[in-house]
């Protein structure tokens, strides 16, 4: 992180302003949050103070750890304005009125320290309008930094420099936002909506307007304009409910005031009468009574309903079965867009025209297509950007399809012709420029992506259906999971074993990393259910033993092993990380041992490793019982850390494990950590332990019984907790008995097998596979 931004001021304590302040605090940097003074009695800084208080209770949480709130100082713009003089970056997040912003900037210029950077979070007012009439000294330090909401979770940060912005100021702020705040910083032109909202608003409005016009239902539209194109399953109507239906008319009004008369987006600038009525009646989405979707709780039930776009009446959501969707499954996106049925025509009218619109806008909104693709992926959650999608369907095909429909063919599509917008040139990713020549995709210093390594290598060192090994360079081997949800199965175990043997002879260290949405959601419980239904108990026990042995081999390997997770690392995915020498985790890593949700306990060393960590925690009370109690609570409650910072509280991460804010920097940091451990590396030694025995188990059982009596735990929760307590307290051993790691693992295995045979556990497993939710039996 840049050392030059040591304190930040955020002006405006609304949802966005307070969220930005929270992310600065998450970076470990002090931040001053200011808003207007209140005159109605009480604290004059009530707006900012109330914002921080709300953030402590908000879910999903803006703060990665509750203690980060201590880094936020609150105040008001009259009594505490002088606090801004201490700050290196001042970000303005006030009402979207240019006169109010300019007045604020004039005040800031009288107090801010030399070299401090000022930025606006505006998404609707051009930078040129903001700085008009302001002194050159201010303009040199001014930029637009457009965050997406919520600032903690949305990775995109659109940055616009002014004509006079100092390169040093721009570089300092970009570096801080990249390394410190974890943002994907994308350079935009000073144009309406920048990149993300310019294309995203067109896409959403096209989808809504065409659905009304063509008679496509809400459910059909969201099914078509989502997963077939690699877009989140919320689709368009679900996304509108999420962001607030009432927000769209305001955005359209702003766009209407700034877009050129010939812009194709104007075709969709109207708001349907039904949507106007929904807003008037309070149906503004999830924050209101409902929206295009709502949850009907009549009769004590929860029934998800969708609105009929023609009648305005709600009906139970129906999963559509469409010819166009079938075409996408068998023939890909082009097949879906090529059909002559209603739904294929709708998909083309939305997606085809959106891709054409994106092509029309380069270089107006950004210098190159890669910036556009990055913005849509980070800001809207698309797995592929518009130009990557054009490559999927074919630029020449799209151009012909547009022409056949009587629509304008953008010049950039003509420039591409039969070529792709991206190509692999001798292992290097290149993109097509507006001049018709290719240029390399350049990563920032310290960014290393597994996808780039795979492209350069061409093929892995070893591969099977669930995992691969990649040469990361400098003597470091990379282990990648790539099965469905990156679940752990026998093929993953086999590849771990292969990695261990290869590292003993050909490599110096191992890094476990992947670029999936989640590191691993745990064991493939479908395999376990199949084996249980065929009474293949010995096969299940062999799998448990295989996992224990494989993870132990990883732990005691004669070379450093570094885990580099992001996203969810649950169950068996968490357990593999517990057996690594060190972790370099993305800040948004969510770890937990959640096996009790399916009626089981951790069986691949999770209990054993957590006991070891808490027993050897220098800050924990001495003796075996405090450690046992803490591990019992963590596992029996299926506790999941909601950030890497919280994972340290549970000791899923050790105190000296590294947390990286920017996901794109995790792999390079993990590789550096592994290399730093190579010289003089010695694997850990297995030490005997003492567990508290039967008396402690009785105490744990009594606590669980109390939870059952008051309805906080079910009867099968009690069965699972009893098995867990047996493992953690040492089974039949006494406190004076020394137990080896093998002994504790044996208890783990025995308890797992006892539970997996239980019919209530099998009911939980089946329910989880069918619904994705735990069964409370």
């Amino acid at each position: 992180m840049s050392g030059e931004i040591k304190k930040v001021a955020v002006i405006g304590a609304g949802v966005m302003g307070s969220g930005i302040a929270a992310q600065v605090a998450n970076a470990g940097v002090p931040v001053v949050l200011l808003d207007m003074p209140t005159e109605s009695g009480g604290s004059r800084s009530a707006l900012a103070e109330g914002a921080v208080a709300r953030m402590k209770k908000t879910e999903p949480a803006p703060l990665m750890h509750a203690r980060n709130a201590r880094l936020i100082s609150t105040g008001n713009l009259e009594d505490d304005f002088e606090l801004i003089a201490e700050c290196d970056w001042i970000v303005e997040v006030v009402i979207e009125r240019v006169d109010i912003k300019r007045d604020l900037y004039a005040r800031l210029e009288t107090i801010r320290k030399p070299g401090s950077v000022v930025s606006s979070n505006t998404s609707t007012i051009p930078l040129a309008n903001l700085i008009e009439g302001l002194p050159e000294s201010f303009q040199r330090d001014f930029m637009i930094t457009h965050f997406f909401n919520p600032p903690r979770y949305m990775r995109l940060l659109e940055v616009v420099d002014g004509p006079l912005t100092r390169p040093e100021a721009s570089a300092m702020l970009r570096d801080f936002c990249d390394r410190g705040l974890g943002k994907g910083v994308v350079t935009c032109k000073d144009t309406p909506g920048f990149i993300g909202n310019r294309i995203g608003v067109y896409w959403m409005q096209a989808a809504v307007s065409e659905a009304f016009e063509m008679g496509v239902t809400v459910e059909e539209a969201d099914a078509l304009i989502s997963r077939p194109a690699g877009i989140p399953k919320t689709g368009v109507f679900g996304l509108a409910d999420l962001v607030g239906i009432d927000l769209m008319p305001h955005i359209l009004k702003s766009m209407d005031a700034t877009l050129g008369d010939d812009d194709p987006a104007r075709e969709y600038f109207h708001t349907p009468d039904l949507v106007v009525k929904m807003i008037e009646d309070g149906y503004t989405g999830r924050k209101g009574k409902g929206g295009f979707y709502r949850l009907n709780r009549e009769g004590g039930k929860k029934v998800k309903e969708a609105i009929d776009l023609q009648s305005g009446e709600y009906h139970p959501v129906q999963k559509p079965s469409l010819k166009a969707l079938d075409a996408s499954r068998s023939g890909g996106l082009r097949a879906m867009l090529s059909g002559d049925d209603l739904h294929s025509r709708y998909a083309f009218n939305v997606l085809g025209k959106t891709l054409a619109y994106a092509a029309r806008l380069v270089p107006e909104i950004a210098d190159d297509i890669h910036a556009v693709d990055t913005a849509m992926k980070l800001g809207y959650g698309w797995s592929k950007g518009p130009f990557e999608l054009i490559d999927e369907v074919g630029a020449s095909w799209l151009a012909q399809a547009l022409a056949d429909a009587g629509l304008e063919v953008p010049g950039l599509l003509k420039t591409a012709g039969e070529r792709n917008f991206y190509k692999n040139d001798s292992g290097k990713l290149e993109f097509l420029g507006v001049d018709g020549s290719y240029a390399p995709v350049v990563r920032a210093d310290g960014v290393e992506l597994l996808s780039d390594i795979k492209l350069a290598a061409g093929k892995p060192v070893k591969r099977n259906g669930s995992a691969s090994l990649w040469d990361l360079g400098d003597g470091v081997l990379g282990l990648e999971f790539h099965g469905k949800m990156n679940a752990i199965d026998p093929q993953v175990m086999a590849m771990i074993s292969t990695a261990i043997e290869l590292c003993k002879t050909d490599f110096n260290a191992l890094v476990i990393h992947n670029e999936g949405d989640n590191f691993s959601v745990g064991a493939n419980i479908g395999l376990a259910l199949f084996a249980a239904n065929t009474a293949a108990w010995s096969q299940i026990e062999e799998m448990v033993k295989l996992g224990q042995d494989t993870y132990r081999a990883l732990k005691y390997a004669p070379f450093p092993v570094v885990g580099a997770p992001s996203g969810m690392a649950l169950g068996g995915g968490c357990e593999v990380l517990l057996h690594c020498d060190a972790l370099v985790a993305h800040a948004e890593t969510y770890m937990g041992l959640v096996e009790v949700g399916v009626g089981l306990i951790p069986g691949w060393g999770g209990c054993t490793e957590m006991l070891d960590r808490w027993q050897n925690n220098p800050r924990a009370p001495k003796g075996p019982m405090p450690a046992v109690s803490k591990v019992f609570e963590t596992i029996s409650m299926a506790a999941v850390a909601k950030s890497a910072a919280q994972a340290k509280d549970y000791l899923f991460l050790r105190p000296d494990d590294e947390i990286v804010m920017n996901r794109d920097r995790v792999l390079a940091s993990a590789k550096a950590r592994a290399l730093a451990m190579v010289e003089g590396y010695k694997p850990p030694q297995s030490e005997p332990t003492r567990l508290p025995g039967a008396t402690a188990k009785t105490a744990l059982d009594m606590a669980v019984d109390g939870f059952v009596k008051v309805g906080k735990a079910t009867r099968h929760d009690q069965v699972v907790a009893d098995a867990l307590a047996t493992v953690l307290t040492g089974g039949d051993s006494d406190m004076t008995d020394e137990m080896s790691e093998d002994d504790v693992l044996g208890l783990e295995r025995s308890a797992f097998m006892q539970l997996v045979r239980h019919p209530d556990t099998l009911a939980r497993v089946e329910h989880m596979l069918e619904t994705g939710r735990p069964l409370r039996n």
Side-chain angles (χ1 to χ4, degrees):
M1 186 198 311
S2 167
E4 296 177 326
I5 292 182
K6 299 178 180 177
K7 191 169 187 178
V8 176
V10 177
I11 302 174
V15 172
M16 181 63 84
S18 59
I20 294 170
Q23 189 66 359
V24 173
N26 290 335
V29 174
V31 55
V32 178
L33 180 62
L34 304 178
D35 209 311
M36 295 298 293
T38 53
E39 307 292 349
S40 57
S43 171
R44 282 170 54 81
S45 301
L47 291 177
E49 292 167 358
V52 174
R54 283 191 297 275
M55 284 196 295
K56 294 178 181 178
K57 303 174 183 177
T58 300
E59 290 293 341
L63 294 164
M64 292 180 178
H65 198 288
R67 64 170 173 263
N68 294 346
R70 294 179 294 191
L71 289 168
I72 306 175
S73 303
T74 56
N76 68 77
L77 288 167
E78 289 185 6
D79 305 331
D80 307 293
F81 197 68
E82 71 280 357
L83 294 176
I84 291 172
E86 306 169 359
C87 298
D88 306 295
W89 174 27
I90 305 147
V91 56
E92 164 268 303
V93 200
V94 303
I95 189 171
E96 292 287 83
R97 275 181 48 185
V98 69
D99 57 330
I100 292 176
K101 292 177 186 287
R102 283 185 192 158
D103 288 346
L104 174 62
Y105 300 158
R107 287 186 68 196
L108 291 175
E109 187 66 354
T110 67
I111 194 172
R112 71 185 184 91
K113 68 181 181 181
S116 60
V117 182
V118 182
S119 72
S120 174
N121 187 61
T122 186
S123 62
T124 61
I125 303 174
L127 184 145
N129 293 2
L130 293 174
I131 60 177
E132 184 179 341
L134 290 166
E136 187 175 306
S137 58
F138 182 85
Q139 294 187 38
R140 284 200 303 266
D141 292 329
F142 185 78
M143 307 165 64
I144 286 176
T145 50
H146 179 222
F147 289 82
F148 275 57
N149 195 33
R152 171 182 166 184
Y153 300 97
M154 298 303 292
R155 293 182 61 201
L156 178 60
L157 177 67
E158 296 179 317
V159 175
V160 182
D161 291 339
L164 300 181
T165 305
R166 291 186 298 117
E168 301 85 358
S170 179
M172 177 180 74
L173 186 56
R174 289 164 190 268
D175 185 66
F176 176 77
C177 291
D178 170 347
R179 298 174 188 270
L181 303 188
K183 296 299 165 189
V185 179
V186 175
T187 299
C188 306
K189 303 285 188 70
D190 188 19
T191 57
F194 309 128
I195 298 174
N197 285 343
R198 182 74 174 273
I199 297 172
V201 168
Y202 178 92
W203 165 67
M204 292 183 69
Q205 282 298 115
V208 172
S209 298
E210 294 284 358
F212 273 95
E213 182 69 24
M214 299 180 69
V216 173
T217 70
V218 166
E219 303 100 303
E220 290 169 345
D222 280 349
L224 292 162
I225 313 301
S226 57
R227 287 179 172 173
I231 292 171
K233 64 180 181 180
T234 51
V236 170
F237 288 100
L239 179 60
D241 281 353
L242 184 63
V243 300
I245 297 171
D246 54 334
L247 184 64
M248 292 306 293
H250 295 290
I251 294 175
L252 293 180
K253 183 178 180 181
S254 170
M255 291 285 196
D256 185 45
T258 52
L259 285 182
D261 292 339
D262 63 342
D263 196 288
R266 291 190 172 278
E267 177 186 359
Y268 298 121
F269 269 13
H270 62 281
T271 301
D273 292 341
L274 175 62
V275 176
V276 173
K277 186 176 187 305
M278 289 171 67
I279 295 171
E280 290 173 349
D281 293 344
Y283 285 87
T284 54
R286 295 190 187 183
K287 65 182 180 182
K289 301 176 183 178
F292 294 110
Y293 296 97
R294 73 176 184 184
L295 205 57
N296 188 337
R297 293 182 169 86
E298 291 180 3
K301 298 180 180 180
K302 293 182 181 180
V303 178
K304 187 177 182 181
E305 297 180 333
I307 199 167
D308 186 297
L309 297 180
Q310 309 307 315
S311 69
E313 300 295 325
Y314 283 93
H315 59 263
V317 167
Q318 300 167 1
K319 185 176 181 180
S321 177
L322 306 175
K323 178 182 176 182
L325 288 176
D326 292 338
S328 73
R329 295 185 189 104
S330 59
L333 183 59
R334 187 201 287 193
M336 184 177 80
L337 301 181
S338 301
D340 58 2
D341 60 289
L342 169 69
H343 298 101
S344 287
R345 295 198 308 274
Y346 170 77
F348 180 81
N349 282 353
V350 178
L351 289 174
K353 290 167 76 171
T354 298
L355 298 182
Y357 188 59
R360 185 184 190 272
L361 294 175
V362 178
E364 177 191 340
I365 61 175
D367 285 331
D368 58 65
I369 66 167
H370 188 248
V372 172
D373 281 347
T374 301
M376 292 308 296
K377 289 190 286 187
L378 298 183
Y380 278 79
W382 292 15
S383 63
K384 294 182 179 180
F387 294 94
E388 292 170 317
L389 287 172
I390 293 174
D391 279 352
E392 186 175 328
V393 300
S396 60
W397 175 87
L398 179 59
Q400 187 62 53
L402 291 168
D404 291 344
L407 300 170
E408 177 189 356
V409 178
L412 201 53
L413 284 180
K414 296 176 182 177
T415 299
E418 297 291 333
R419 297 179 294 172
N420 280 348
F421 280 103
Y422 291 92
K423 72 171 185 175
N424 177 359
D425 183 35
S426 302
K428 299 290 185 181
L429 183 63
E430 295 187 340
F431 64 89
L432 185 68
V434 294
D435 61 356
S437 62
Y438 285 92
V441 172
V442 179
R443 309 295 184 194
D445 289 342
V447 170
E448 193 167 354
L449 302 183
L450 184 59
S451 57
D452 288 346
I453 292 169
K454 292 162 68 172
L455 186 70
K459 63 178 183 179
V461 177
K462 295 284 184 180
R463 177 185 172 89
N464 62 29
S466 299
S468 294
L469 299 177
W470 297 94
D471 187 342
L472 303 182
D474 301 316
V476 179
L477 184 65
L479 170 61
E480 175 197 22
F481 306 154
H482 49 66
K484 184 177 181 181
M485 299 290 283
N486 291 333
I488 310 294
D489 61 18
Q491 289 189 307
V492 169
M493 294 296 181
M495 196 57 69
I496 293 174
S497 297
T498 300
I500 292 170
E501 294 308 310
L502 275 173
C503 280
K504 287 178 180 177
T505 57
D506 300 334
F507 294 89
N508 299 320
L510 177 67
V511 170
I512 306 176
H513 174 74
N514 64 71
E515 292 177 346
D517 290 339
N518 296 301
F519 176 78
S520 173
V521 298
N524 186 336
I525 58 174
L527 293 177
L529 181 62
F530 176 79
N533 286 337
T534 58
W537 307 117
S538 61
Q539 182 180 330
I540 295 176
E541 186 161 11
E542 286 171 7
M543 182 60 190
V544 176
K545 183 68 162 60
L546 173 65
Q548 291 182 342
D549 291 346
T550 304
Y551 284 4
R552 282 184 76 196
L554 200 64
K555 177 179 179 179
Y556 295 114
F559 50 82
V561 179
V562 176
S566 58
M568 290 190 292
L570 305 177
C574 178
E575 286 176 297
V576 71
L577 295 172
L578 293 177
H579 288 79
C580 293
D581 293 296
L583 298 184
V584 176
H586 180 223
E588 299 296 350
T589 298
Y590 317 115
M591 296 179 71
L593 296 169
V594 296
E595 286 84 352
V596 297
V598 289
L600 297 167
I601 65 163
W604 287 337
C607 301
T608 308
E609 288 303 310
M610 291 301 291
L611 276 173
D612 180 68
R613 291 187 178 205
W614 279 99
Q615 286 176 332
N616 292 293
N617 179 19
R619 291 180 293 179
K622 298 303 178 186
M625 196 56 198
V628 166
S629 297
K630 186 64 181 179
V631 176
F632 181 79
E633 176 188 350
T634 300
I635 297 177
S636 65
M637 299 297 289
V640 175
K642 295 181 180 179
S643 68
Q646 282 191 2
K648 289 196 172 187
D649 292 348
Y650 292 108
L651 291 187
F652 296 140
L653 265 65
R654 299 179 182 90
D656 60 346
D657 283 334
E658 185 178 348
I659 298 174
V660 177
M661 291 293 283
N662 192 322
R663 182 171 181 166
D664 291 345
R665 296 182 177 276
V666 170
L667 179 57
S669 298
K671 181 180 167 183
R673 180 71 179 267
L675 288 170
M677 298 171 66
V678 169
E679 188 174 351
Y681 176 78
K682 294 182 180 178
Q685 299 297 309
S686 179
E687 300 288 344
T689 187
R690 285 186 171 87
L691 296 175
T695 303
K697 182 179 180 302
T698 300
L700 296 177
D701 287 344
M702 289 175 63
V704 174
D705 189 56
F707 281 120
V708 172
K709 287 178 178 176
V710 298
K712 292 183 178 180
T714 68
R715 284 297 174 190
H716 195 53
D717 289 336
Q718 190 170 28
V719 172
V720 178
D722 180 76
L724 176 64
T726 298
V727 175
L728 299 181
T729 57
D732 294 331
S733 70
D734 186 80
M735 193 169 180
T736 59
D737 297 334
E738 281 194 345
M739 297 187 68
S740 68
E741 192 176 76
D742 276 337
D743 293 332
V744 182
L745 287 169
L747 289 174
E748 244 187 36
R749 196 163 59 250
S750 176
F752 187 98
M753 292 307 301
Q754 169 196 332
L755 291 170
V756 80
R757 292 172 177 264
H758 200 292
D760 288 344
T761 288
L762 297 179
R764 286 191 178 190
V765 172
E766 190 168 359
H767 188 270
M768 179 65 75
L769 289 170
E770 289 178 355
T771 69
R773 297 187 299 272
L775 174 65
R776 303 294 297 141
N777 60 347

